[in-house]
């Protein structure tokens, strides 16, 4: 029996999943990815190995780290696929990313979102339980706070009714995992509430690769920067914020990934349910992001002020103190670094992984 702890990463070929797999491997964990590639591609899996091989060569990863990865192209809804994975691998814990994540699309397709995101979690937990694996980190979201009464947001802030089915799935899955532990205290659950993950690995080999027109701000700005889009759509400049545009807590995806490693390291030998925000504690406006990306790409990016987007809140940023107190984790990278890394990824891969 190897002393390497294998982590099943559902959705591990995705934006946050792929960056987390890199950090897990570099930290000495083994990684087993299940991903149906509906919102990612196998090239991302190959690039994870490429990055970790280089890290090994640079002495930044244990020898053999890049070999400790297995990939199963399958869907978490497929119970047989999960059974096979647990039969073929000694799984220490699970990081559960796999799920649909587009806010607007969830409003149009609620049935698909509830079915996919909730059912895949129920099946995953049932198979985990059957194989005696009761350690899970769940990819939750600050969206469960809804329209905040005040900022910064700590984990004790009230969970508000979600404003869209995507947000409800995060809300409900948090409840499911909490109830699972209540019924069986052997479960060890960490609910990580992400704020706004952006940026890319410094190598430029992996990054955010949304299909179609990006819903989120930074991938859209990146496409303006490479000339794919004409101007940044600014959804409202009449919010009660310093410059009138929406304020969010942007966090570098590599910082976020390292937060998952810190969570797993902390979970060793524990049981319980822990809710932790992963954010920087700093709010940045849409225009702050445009200015930072303009610095990164070396030209002033044009903006087009448009009406507010339905469902958006004015301001939302984290109180990151608990992650520091509990995990000893603090986000390192600032907005300029996030935009510089995002620009490198986008300019090296104008068509994402399709290049
Ligand atoms: C950020 C700011 C917009 C696009 C959502 C989910 C969250 C997470 C990330 C999935 C807001 C403004 C945006 C654009 C703009 N989930 N904006 N022009 O809405 O904070 O969070 O995505 O990954 O759970 O809730 O992120 O990037 O869409 O918006 O002006 O073209 O940018 O109004 O103020 P959001 P976002």
């Amino acid at each position: 029996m190897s002393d390497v702890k294998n982590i099943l990463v559902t959705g591990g070929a995705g934006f946050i999943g792929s960056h987390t797999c890199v950090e897990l491997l570099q930290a000495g964990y083994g990684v087993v990815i299940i991903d149906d590639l509906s919102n990612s591609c196998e090239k991302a899996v190959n690039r994870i190995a490429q990055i970790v091989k280089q890290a090994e060569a640079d002495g930044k990863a244990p020898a053999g780290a890049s070999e400790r990865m297995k990939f199963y192209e399958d869907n978490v809804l497929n119970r047989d696929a999960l059974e096979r994975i647990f039969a073929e691998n000694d799984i220490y814990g699970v990081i559960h990313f796999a799920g649909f994540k587009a806010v607007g699309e969830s409003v149009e397709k609620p049935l698909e979102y509830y079915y996919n995101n909730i059912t895949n979690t129920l099946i995953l937990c049932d198979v985990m339980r059957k194989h005696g694996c009761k350690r899970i980190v769940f990819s939750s979201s600050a969206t469960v706070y809804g329209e905040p009464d005040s900022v910064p947001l700590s984990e004790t802030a009230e969970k508000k009714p979600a404003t869209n089915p995507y947000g409800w799935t995060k809300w409900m899955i948090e409840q499911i995992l909490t109830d699972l532990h209540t019924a069986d205290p052997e479960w060890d659950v960490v609910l990580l509430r992400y704020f706004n993950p952006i940026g890319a690995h410094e190598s430029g080999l992996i990054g955010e690769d949304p299909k179609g027109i990006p819903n989120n701000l930074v991938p859209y700005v990146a496409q303006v920067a490479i000339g794919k889009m004409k101007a940044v759509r600014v959804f409202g400049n009449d919010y009660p914020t310093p410059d009138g545009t929406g304020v969010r807590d942007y966090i570098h995806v590599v910082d976020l990934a390292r937060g998952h490693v810190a969570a797993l390291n902390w979970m060793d030998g524990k049981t319980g349910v822990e809710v932790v925000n992963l954010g920087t504690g700093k709010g940045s406006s849409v225009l702050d992001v445009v200015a930072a990306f303009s610095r990164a790409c070396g030209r002033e990016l044009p903006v087009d002020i448009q009406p507010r987007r339905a469902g958006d809140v004015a301001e939302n940023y984290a109180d990151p103190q608990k992650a520091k107190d509990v995990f000893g984790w603090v986000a390192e990278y600032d907005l300029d670094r996030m935009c510089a890394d995002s620009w490198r990824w986008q300019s090296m891969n104008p068509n994402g992984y399709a290049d």
Side-chain angles (χ1 to χ4, degrees), residues 101 103 141 143 166 195-196 215-217 220 233-235 246 248 250 286 309 312:
K101 52 162 260 183
V103 170
S141 167
T143 201
Y166 158 81
F195 281 71
N196 287 62
N215 296 300
N216 297 132
L217 176 66
Y220 195 101
R233 311 163 304 181
V234 178
F235 293 148
R248 296 291 184 277
Y250 296 97
V286 174
R309 180 174 65 177
D312 276 348

Side-chain angles (χ1 to χ4, degrees), residues 274-289:
E274 206 66 58
V275 179
V276 180
N277 289 339
L278 291 187
T280 66
K282 182 178 179 340
S284 301
S285 74
V286 174
L287 295 181
D288 291 335
V289 171

Side-chain angles (χ1 to χ4, degrees), residues 251-287:
I251 175 172
H252 198 296
V253 63
V254 173
D255 273 329
L256 190 74
R258 290 170 179 160
H260 289 72
V261 176
L264 276 172
N265 293 343
W266 175 81
M267 291 170 85
D268 197 16
K270 292 189 180 61
T271 62
V273 181
E274 206 66 58
V275 179
V276 180
N277 289 339
L278 291 187
T280 66
K282 182 178 179 340
S284 301
S285 74
V286 174
L287 295 181

